mmCIF file of all heavy atoms in Angstrom:
data_model
loop_
_atom_site.group_PDB
_atom_site.id
_atom_site.type_symbol
_atom_site.label_atom_id
_atom_site.label_comp_id
_atom_site.label_asym_id
_atom_site.label_seq_id
_atom_site.Cartn_x
_atom_site.Cartn_y
_atom_site.Cartn_z
ATOM 1 N N LEU R 1 10.299 -7.710 -21.060
ATOM 2 C CA LEU R 1 10.487 -8.154 -19.682
ATOM 3 C C LEU R 1 10.426 -6.977 -18.722
ATOM 4 O O LEU R 1 9.811 -7.057 -17.652
ATOM 5 C CB LEU R 1 11.828 -8.884 -19.547
ATOM 6 C CG LEU R 1 12.097 -9.589 -18.212
ATOM 7 C CD1 LEU R 1 11.111 -10.735 -17.989
ATOM 8 C CD2 LEU R 1 13.537 -10.118 -18.177
ATOM 9 N N PHE R 2 11.044 -5.865 -19.117
ATOM 10 C CA PHE R 2 11.024 -4.676 -18.274
ATOM 11 C C PHE R 2 9.610 -4.116 -18.131
ATOM 12 O O PHE R 2 9.238 -3.607 -17.071
ATOM 13 C CB PHE R 2 11.952 -3.603 -18.848
ATOM 14 C CG PHE R 2 12.069 -2.383 -17.988
ATOM 15 C CD1 PHE R 2 12.730 -2.428 -16.771
ATOM 16 C CD2 PHE R 2 11.510 -1.170 -18.387
ATOM 17 C CE1 PHE R 2 12.831 -1.303 -15.959
ATOM 18 C CE2 PHE R 2 11.603 -0.050 -17.584
ATOM 19 C CZ PHE R 2 12.268 -0.109 -16.373
ATOM 20 N N SER R 3 8.816 -4.209 -19.193
ATOM 21 C CA SER R 3 7.432 -3.728 -19.136
ATOM 22 C C SER R 3 6.637 -4.505 -18.093
ATOM 23 O O SER R 3 5.930 -3.916 -17.260
ATOM 24 C CB SER R 3 6.768 -3.864 -20.506
ATOM 25 O OG SER R 3 7.348 -2.992 -21.441
ATOM 26 N N GLU R 4 6.735 -5.830 -18.140
ATOM 27 C CA GLU R 4 6.000 -6.656 -17.182
ATOM 28 C C GLU R 4 6.552 -6.492 -15.768
ATOM 29 O O GLU R 4 5.805 -6.468 -14.790
ATOM 30 C CB GLU R 4 6.045 -8.128 -17.608
ATOM 31 C CG GLU R 4 5.230 -8.435 -18.851
ATOM 32 C CD GLU R 4 3.742 -8.196 -18.646
ATOM 33 O OE1 GLU R 4 3.254 -8.382 -17.521
ATOM 34 O OE2 GLU R 4 3.068 -7.803 -19.612
ATOM 35 N N PHE R 5 7.858 -6.365 -15.675
ATOM 36 C CA PHE R 5 8.513 -6.110 -14.391
ATOM 37 C C PHE R 5 8.009 -4.800 -13.779
ATOM 38 O O PHE R 5 7.610 -4.744 -12.614
ATOM 39 C CB PHE R 5 10.027 -6.054 -14.617
ATOM 40 C CG PHE R 5 10.823 -5.551 -13.445
ATOM 41 C CD1 PHE R 5 11.314 -6.428 -12.497
ATOM 42 C CD2 PHE R 5 11.095 -4.194 -13.311
ATOM 43 C CE1 PHE R 5 12.063 -5.961 -11.423
ATOM 44 C CE2 PHE R 5 11.832 -3.717 -12.247
ATOM 45 C CZ PHE R 5 12.316 -4.611 -11.291
ATOM 46 N N SER R 6 7.979 -3.756 -14.590
ATOM 47 C CA SER R 6 7.614 -2.425 -14.092
ATOM 48 C C SER R 6 6.152 -2.365 -13.663
ATOM 49 O O SER R 6 5.821 -1.798 -12.611
ATOM 50 C CB SER R 6 7.880 -1.373 -15.170
ATOM 51 O OG SER R 6 9.234 -1.365 -15.538
ATOM 52 N N GLY R 7 5.267 -2.913 -14.490
ATOM 53 C CA GLY R 7 3.849 -2.881 -14.152
ATOM 54 C C GLY R 7 3.547 -3.580 -12.848
ATOM 55 O O GLY R 7 2.771 -3.078 -12.018
ATOM 56 N N THR R 8 4.180 -4.731 -12.643
ATOM 57 C CA THR R 8 3.928 -5.476 -11.403
ATOM 58 C C THR R 8 4.595 -4.810 -10.209
ATOM 59 O O THR R 8 4.072 -4.851 -9.094
ATOM 60 C CB THR R 8 4.426 -6.928 -11.538
ATOM 61 O OG1 THR R 8 4.015 -7.451 -12.794
ATOM 62 C CG2 THR R 8 3.870 -7.794 -10.425
ATOM 63 N N PHE R 9 5.733 -4.177 -10.434
ATOM 64 C CA PHE R 9 6.386 -3.420 -9.354
ATOM 65 C C PHE R 9 5.456 -2.315 -8.854
ATOM 66 O O PHE R 9 5.259 -2.147 -7.640
ATOM 67 C CB PHE R 9 7.700 -2.822 -9.861
ATOM 68 C CG PHE R 9 8.370 -1.920 -8.868
ATOM 69 C CD1 PHE R 9 9.084 -2.445 -7.799
ATOM 70 C CD2 PHE R 9 8.285 -0.539 -8.995
ATOM 71 C CE1 PHE R 9 9.696 -1.602 -6.870
ATOM 72 C CE2 PHE R 9 8.892 0.303 -8.085
ATOM 73 C CZ PHE R 9 9.604 -0.228 -7.019
ATOM 74 N N VAL R 10 4.855 -1.578 -9.785
ATOM 75 C CA VAL R 10 3.914 -0.521 -9.401
ATOM 76 C C VAL R 10 2.726 -1.113 -8.643
ATOM 77 O O VAL R 10 2.301 -0.588 -7.606
ATOM 78 C CB VAL R 10 3.431 0.256 -10.639
ATOM 79 C CG1 VAL R 10 2.305 1.215 -10.270
ATOM 80 C CG2 VAL R 10 4.588 1.013 -11.277
ATOM 81 N N LEU R 11 2.188 -2.213 -9.164
ATOM 82 C CA LEU R 11 1.054 -2.866 -8.508
ATOM 83 C C LEU R 11 1.384 -3.241 -7.075
ATOM 84 O O LEU R 11 0.620 -2.947 -6.144
ATOM 85 C CB LEU R 11 0.649 -4.115 -9.295
ATOM 86 C CG LEU R 11 -0.396 -5.031 -8.635
ATOM 87 C CD1 LEU R 11 -1.739 -4.316 -8.519
ATOM 88 C CD2 LEU R 11 -0.539 -6.323 -9.428
ATOM 89 N N MET R 12 2.526 -3.880 -6.875
ATOM 90 C CA MET R 12 2.845 -4.382 -5.535
ATOM 91 C C MET R 12 3.254 -3.281 -4.567
ATOM 92 O O MET R 12 2.969 -3.370 -3.369
ATOM 93 C CB MET R 12 3.947 -5.442 -5.624
ATOM 94 C CG MET R 12 3.475 -6.776 -6.169
ATOM 95 S SD MET R 12 1.943 -7.380 -5.383
ATOM 96 C CE MET R 12 2.399 -7.375 -3.651
ATOM 97 N N VAL R 13 3.909 -2.244 -5.059
ATOM 98 C CA VAL R 13 4.204 -1.102 -4.179
ATOM 99 C C VAL R 13 2.896 -0.523 -3.649
ATOM 100 O O VAL R 13 2.759 -0.223 -2.459
ATOM 101 C CB VAL R 13 5.022 -0.028 -4.917
ATOM 102 C CG1 VAL R 13 5.050 1.269 -4.117
ATOM 103 C CG2 VAL R 13 6.445 -0.511 -5.159
ATOM 104 N N ALA R 14 1.918 -0.411 -4.537
ATOM 105 C CA ALA R 14 0.616 0.116 -4.124
ATOM 106 C C ALA R 14 -0.073 -0.830 -3.144
ATOM 107 O O ALA R 14 -0.638 -0.394 -2.137
ATOM 108 C CB ALA R 14 -0.265 0.342 -5.349
ATOM 109 N N VAL R 15 -0.011 -2.129 -3.418
ATOM 110 C CA VAL R 15 -0.658 -3.116 -2.542
ATOM 111 C C VAL R 15 -0.039 -3.084 -1.147
ATOM 112 O O VAL R 15 -0.747 -3.127 -0.134
ATOM 113 C CB VAL R 15 -0.562 -4.526 -3.144
ATOM 114 C CG1 VAL R 15 -0.920 -5.600 -2.106
ATOM 115 C CG2 VAL R 15 -1.487 -4.652 -4.350
ATOM 116 N N PHE R 16 1.287 -3.007 -1.087
ATOM 117 C CA PHE R 16 1.960 -2.993 0.213
ATOM 118 C C PHE R 16 1.554 -1.785 1.063
ATOM 119 O O PHE R 16 1.533 -1.860 2.290
ATOM 120 C CB PHE R 16 3.482 -2.993 0.040
ATOM 121 C CG PHE R 16 4.068 -4.354 -0.142
ATOM 122 C CD1 PHE R 16 4.795 -4.671 -1.280
ATOM 123 C CD2 PHE R 16 3.903 -5.340 0.815
ATOM 124 C CE1 PHE R 16 5.345 -5.927 -1.451
ATOM 125 C CE2 PHE R 16 4.447 -6.598 0.660
ATOM 126 C CZ PHE R 16 5.170 -6.899 -0.477
ATOM 127 N N TYR R 17 1.239 -0.695 0.402
ATOM 128 C CA TYR R 17 0.943 0.518 1.156
ATOM 129 C C TYR R 17 -0.527 0.906 1.146
ATOM 130 O O TYR R 17 -0.880 2.008 1.563
ATOM 131 C CB TYR R 17 1.814 1.674 0.643
ATOM 132 C CG TYR R 17 3.253 1.480 1.039
ATOM 133 C CD1 TYR R 17 4.164 0.932 0.143
ATOM 134 C CD2 TYR R 17 3.688 1.770 2.327
ATOM 135 C CE1 TYR R 17 5.487 0.698 0.514
ATOM 136 C CE2 TYR R 17 4.997 1.548 2.713
ATOM 137 C CZ TYR R 17 5.896 1.016 1.801
ATOM 138 O OH TYR R 17 7.194 0.785 2.180
ATOM 139 N N LEU R 18 -1.389 -0.021 0.682
ATOM 140 C CA LEU R 18 -2.818 0.228 0.814
ATOM 141 C C LEU R 18 -3.181 0.266 2.288
ATOM 142 O O LEU R 18 -2.776 -0.588 3.070
ATOM 143 C CB LEU R 18 -3.631 -0.890 0.135
ATOM 144 C CG LEU R 18 -3.772 -0.813 -1.388
ATOM 145 C CD1 LEU R 18 -4.547 -2.024 -1.888
ATOM 146 C CD2 LEU R 18 -4.508 0.457 -1.797
ATOM 147 N N ALA R 19 -3.946 1.236 2.681
ATOM 148 C CA ALA R 19 -4.359 1.363 4.075
ATOM 149 C C ALA R 19 -5.821 1.739 4.143
ATOM 150 O O ALA R 19 -6.294 2.588 3.381
ATOM 151 C CB ALA R 19 -3.518 2.417 4.798
ATOM 152 N N GLY R 20 -6.528 1.119 5.049
ATOM 153 C CA GLY R 20 -7.923 1.464 5.245
ATOM 154 C C GLY R 20 -8.047 2.751 6.042
ATOM 155 O O GLY R 20 -7.102 3.185 6.702
ATOM 156 N N PRO R 21 -9.198 3.399 5.990
ATOM 157 C CA PRO R 21 -9.404 4.621 6.770
ATOM 158 C C PRO R 21 -9.372 4.319 8.269
ATOM 159 O O PRO R 21 -9.813 3.256 8.702
ATOM 160 C CB PRO R 21 -10.784 5.095 6.325
ATOM 161 C CG PRO R 21 -11.466 3.860 5.842
ATOM 162 C CD PRO R 21 -10.393 3.014 5.232
ATOM 163 N N GLU R 22 -8.854 5.224 9.041
ATOM 164 C CA GLU R 22 -8.719 5.018 10.479
ATOM 165 C C GLU R 22 -9.508 6.074 11.248
ATOM 166 O O GLU R 22 -9.677 7.208 10.786
ATOM 167 C CB GLU R 22 -7.240 5.091 10.889
ATOM 168 C CG GLU R 22 -6.383 3.993 10.285
ATOM 169 C CD GLU R 22 -4.939 4.108 10.734
ATOM 170 O OE1 GLU R 22 -4.560 5.182 11.260
ATOM 171 O OE2 GLU R 22 -4.206 3.138 10.573
ATOM 172 N N PHE R 23 -9.962 5.673 12.427
ATOM 173 C CA PHE R 23 -10.620 6.591 13.345
ATOM 174 C C PHE R 23 -9.785 6.646 14.620
ATOM 175 O O PHE R 23 -9.466 5.615 15.209
ATOM 176 C CB PHE R 23 -12.034 6.111 13.674
ATOM 177 C CG PHE R 23 -12.687 6.895 14.772
ATOM 178 C CD1 PHE R 23 -13.200 8.157 14.528
ATOM 179 C CD2 PHE R 23 -12.771 6.379 16.065
ATOM 180 C CE1 PHE R 23 -13.794 8.884 15.543
ATOM 181 C CE2 PHE R 23 -13.357 7.109 17.085
ATOM 182 C CZ PHE R 23 -13.877 8.364 16.817
ATOM 183 N N VAL R 24 -9.404 7.832 15.011
ATOM 184 C CA VAL R 24 -8.618 8.004 16.227
ATOM 185 C C VAL R 24 -9.514 8.592 17.301
ATOM 186 O O VAL R 24 -10.071 9.689 17.142
ATOM 187 C CB VAL R 24 -7.399 8.931 15.982
ATOM 188 C CG1 VAL R 24 -6.591 9.071 17.265
ATOM 189 C CG2 VAL R 24 -6.540 8.391 14.840
ATOM 190 N N SER R 25 -9.649 7.874 18.402
ATOM 191 C CA SER R 25 -10.524 8.312 19.480
ATOM 192 C C SER R 25 -9.842 9.392 20.310
ATOM 193 O O SER R 25 -8.646 9.680 20.142
ATOM 194 C CB SER R 25 -10.883 7.123 20.372
ATOM 195 O OG SER R 25 -9.730 6.676 21.069
ATOM 196 N N ALA R 26 -10.599 9.985 21.232
ATOM 197 C CA ALA R 26 -10.049 11.030 22.105
ATOM 198 C C ALA R 26 -8.916 10.488 22.968
ATOM 199 O O ALA R 26 -8.018 11.233 23.374
ATOM 200 C CB ALA R 26 -11.165 11.594 22.977
ATOM 201 N N SER R 27 -8.952 9.191 23.264
ATOM 202 C CA SER R 27 -7.907 8.586 24.090
ATOM 203 C C SER R 27 -6.663 8.221 23.289
ATOM 204 O O SER R 27 -5.681 7.737 23.836
ATOM 205 C CB SER R 27 -8.452 7.327 24.779
ATOM 206 O OG SER R 27 -8.833 6.361 23.820
ATOM 207 N N GLY R 28 -6.736 8.416 21.963
ATOM 208 C CA GLY R 28 -5.582 8.117 21.122
ATOM 209 C C GLY R 28 -5.591 6.735 20.521
ATOM 210 O O GLY R 28 -4.671 6.376 19.771
ATOM 211 N N GLU R 29 -6.608 5.929 20.827
ATOM 212 C CA GLU R 29 -6.686 4.586 20.263
ATOM 213 C C GLU R 29 -7.141 4.662 18.800
ATOM 214 O O GLU R 29 -7.993 5.477 18.434
ATOM 215 C CB GLU R 29 -7.656 3.726 21.066
ATOM 216 C CG GLU R 29 -7.204 3.484 22.499
ATOM 217 C CD GLU R 29 -8.193 2.626 23.267
ATOM 218 O OE1 GLU R 29 -9.293 2.362 22.722
ATOM 219 O OE2 GLU R 29 -7.875 2.217 24.388
ATOM 220 N N THR R 30 -6.540 3.788 17.973
ATOM 221 C CA THR R 30 -6.833 3.788 16.538
ATOM 222 C C THR R 30 -7.637 2.558 16.163
ATOM 223 O O THR R 30 -7.330 1.453 16.597
ATOM 224 C CB THR R 30 -5.524 3.811 15.722
ATOM 225 O OG1 THR R 30 -4.786 4.978 16.066
ATOM 226 C CG2 THR R 30 -5.818 3.820 14.221
ATOM 227 N N ALA R 31 -8.656 2.748 15.341
ATOM 228 C CA ALA R 31 -9.457 1.632 14.852
ATOM 229 C C ALA R 31 -9.614 1.767 13.340
ATOM 230 O O ALA R 31 -9.757 2.879 12.815
ATOM 231 C CB ALA R 31 -10.836 1.624 15.508
#
């Protein structure tokens, strides 16, 4: 149970913090 718990915990922590690349313009706007 701990094995399955741990693997999915790692998966979801990563999913929650996945971020796409960003471009910040000279005016400070982010896309």
Side-chain angles (χ1 to χ4, degrees):
L1 188 65
F2 184 70
S3 293
E4 290 296 328
F5 169 91
S6 301
T8 315
F9 174 78
V10 172
L11 172 66
M12 286 312 305
V13 167
V15 166
F16 275 121
Y17 289 98
L18 280 177
E22 296 181 345
F23 171 77
V24 181
S25 68
S27 62
E29 296 180 352
T30 301

